[in-house]
């Protein structure tokens, strides 16, 4: 039950009807007995500026921003967190009492927290990380890995110029490779992450030769539909510890929830089941 004093948050995107965020935040609000609500906010790209600027006037505590507004929102926030600035995209906005809007990017936080929860013994400093892909998700993940103290990142992408741009814009030991180099760069890797859309339902599979990957390396696929991608299944079969992609989505949401509602919620098995049920519904 919400009162007239309920705190307001939501997700602004186009389209948003497939977003799991209302279900996810709704679970936490109920679990913690918070007087608040998290709603879908379907806003077309041309209406974004007007709708976004109205949020403080409507009394919102903040919002998530999703496709296609994640870059556009950059121009309309009053302040930018340094991590969001480095990543070049905002997915979470906090609105202060005076209406000041601050943009954050919590994808990298979600990525690292997911691995930490799933594999508590994982130490990012133990060896090179191989990152497949050079899109928005890769950028957030590379920033998080640098922050976590990874000494060497091997960035593999079909379009190497895109990977070079990413590597040049982030301080750190980042080397760039084309897709044909993937087998050799896996030698002595401590972590392999797929940030491409390959392997997602409806997309071509991700086919890579894992034979050079040490069996004690961790393999993370950020794709979560299906929950177990072919990459994760193959890695598991040869003895690698694997981390699925749903956890990144759940963990990145924790940071926003804390900013708007004042409680840092947990990712539990019950929450996972609740979100998975929503995805199949
Ligand atoms: P996001 O912002 O979600 O990370 P994106 O910016 O579209 O998504 O990036 C998608 C990534 O998947 C890119 O690295 C892309 O490679 P290119 O930079 O060469 O486009 C990669 N990708 C998508 N489809 C691919 C395919 N069929 N083969 C190889 N890589 C692919």
């Amino acid at each position: 039950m919400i009162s007239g004093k309920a705190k307001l948050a939501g997700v602004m995107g186009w389209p948003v009807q497939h977003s799991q965020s209302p279900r996810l935040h709704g679970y936490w609000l109920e679990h913690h007995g918070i007087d608040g609500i998290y709603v879908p906010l379907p806003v077309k790209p041309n209406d974004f500026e007007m709708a976004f600027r109205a949020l403080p006037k409507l009394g919102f505590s903040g919002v998530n921003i999703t496709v296609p507004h994640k870059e556009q929102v950059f121009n309309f926030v009053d302040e930018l967190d340094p991590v969001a600035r480095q990543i070049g995209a905002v997915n979470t906005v906090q609105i202060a009492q005076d209406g000041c809007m601050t943009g954050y990017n919590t994808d990298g936080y979600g990525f690292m927290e997911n691995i930490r929860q799933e594999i508590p013994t994982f130490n990012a400093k133990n060896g090179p990380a191989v990152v497949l892909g050079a899109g928005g998700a890769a950028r957030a993940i590379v920033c998080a890995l640098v922050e976590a103290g990874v000494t060497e990142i091997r960035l593999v992408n079909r379009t190497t110029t895109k990977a070079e741009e990413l590597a040049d814009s982030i301080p750190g030991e980042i080397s760039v490779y084309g897709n044909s180099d993937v087998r050799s760069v896996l030698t002595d890797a401590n972590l392999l992450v797929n940030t491409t859309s390959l392997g997602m339902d409806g997309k071509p599979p991700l086919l890579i030769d894992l034979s050079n990957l040490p069996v004690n390396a961790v393999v993370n696929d950020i794709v979560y539909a299906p929950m177990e991608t072919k990459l994760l299944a193959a890695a598991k079969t040869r003895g690698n510890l694997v981390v699925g992609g749903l956890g990144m989505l759940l963990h990145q949401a924790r940071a926003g929830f804390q900013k708007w509602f004042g409680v840092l919620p947990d990712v539990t098995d019950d929450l996972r089941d609740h979100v998975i049920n929503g995805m199949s519904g």
Side-chain angles (χ1 to χ4, degrees):
M1 292 295 283
I2 60 166
S3 79
K5 288 185 276 183
K7 289 192 169 134
L8 308 178
V11 52
M12 198 173 268
W14 185 262
V16 285
Q17 70 256 38
H18 299 297
S19 172
Q20 295 304 316
S21 298
R23 196 172 166 85
L24 168 59
H25 289 279
Y27 175 98
W28 281 328
L29 286 167
E30 193 178 326
H31 180 79
H32 291 282
I34 292 171
D35 188 14
I37 189 161
Y38 182 104
V39 293
L41 297 165
V43 173
K44 289 182 186 161
N46 282 346
D47 296 333
F48 178 75
E49 180 177 359
M50 191 177 61
F52 184 72
R53 290 199 193 281
L55 291 168
K57 303 186 205 317
L58 292 166
F60 271 72
S61 299
V63 282
N64 282 127
I65 301 294
T66 188
V67 181
H69 311 309
K70 277 188 182 186
E71 283 87 25
Q72 198 187 167
V73 62
F74 232 77
N75 306 318
F76 307 125
V77 289
D78 302 300
E79 284 175 17
L80 262 181
D81 179 70
V83 174
R85 189 186 301 280
Q86 194 171 50
I87 295 172
V90 163
N91 73 344
T92 302
V93 175
Q94 184 173 28
I95 305 171
Q97 292 279 330
D98 64 0
C100 177
M101 299 209 266
T102 305
Y104 297 87
N105 190 308
T106 65
D107 284 338
Y109 169 83
F111 165 78
M112 278 317 302
E113 286 290 296
N114 183 33
I115 294 186
R116 285 190 185 120
Q117 184 178 40
E118 295 289 303
I119 303 178
T121 54
F122 177 76
N123 184 347
K125 296 179 181 148
N126 278 356
V130 175
V131 176
L132 310 179
R139 183 171 280 277
I141 287 168
V142 165
C143 289
L145 288 171
V146 170
E147 175 68 28
V150 172
T151 48
E152 183 193 345
I153 296 172
R154 298 168 185 167
L155 192 57
V156 180
N157 200 40
R158 174 178 61 180
T159 315
T160 48
T161 47
K162 217 167 133 189
E164 273 154 12
E165 276 169 34
L166 196 165
D168 288 346
S169 66
I170 297 170
E173 197 59 46
I174 307 168
S175 42
V176 169
Y177 300 89
N179 279 352
S180 57
D181 301 316
V182 70
R183 185 170 174 274
S184 59
V185 300
L186 293 177
T187 311
D188 74 4
N190 179 43
L191 174 69
L192 167 64
V193 189
N194 174 44
T195 77
T196 75
S197 47
L198 295 175
M200 194 186 286
D201 287 336
K203 296 276 163 109
L206 174 65
L207 301 169
I208 59 169
D209 179 351
L210 294 177
S211 55
N212 279 344
L213 184 71
V215 283
N216 59 354
V218 168
V219 179
N220 179 197
D221 199 334
I222 72 160
V223 170
Y224 59 84
M227 297 286 282
E228 186 176 81
T229 59
K230 287 206 166 66
L231 171 68
L232 294 185
K236 213 157 126 183
T237 303
R238 60 192 298 284
N240 292 100
L241 289 173
V242 300
V243 180
L246 180 64
M248 177 172 162
L249 177 79
L250 304 180
H251 281 277
Q252 65 78 25
R254 294 169 65 216
F257 190 91
Q258 184 179 35
K259 292 181 197 308
W260 312 317
F261 301 117
V263 175
L264 183 63
D266 288 327
V267 173
T268 60
D269 288 344
D270 194 48
L271 171 73
R272 277 175 194 272
D273 291 345
H274 179 76
V275 173
I276 291 166
N277 286 340
M279 282 161 40
S280 58

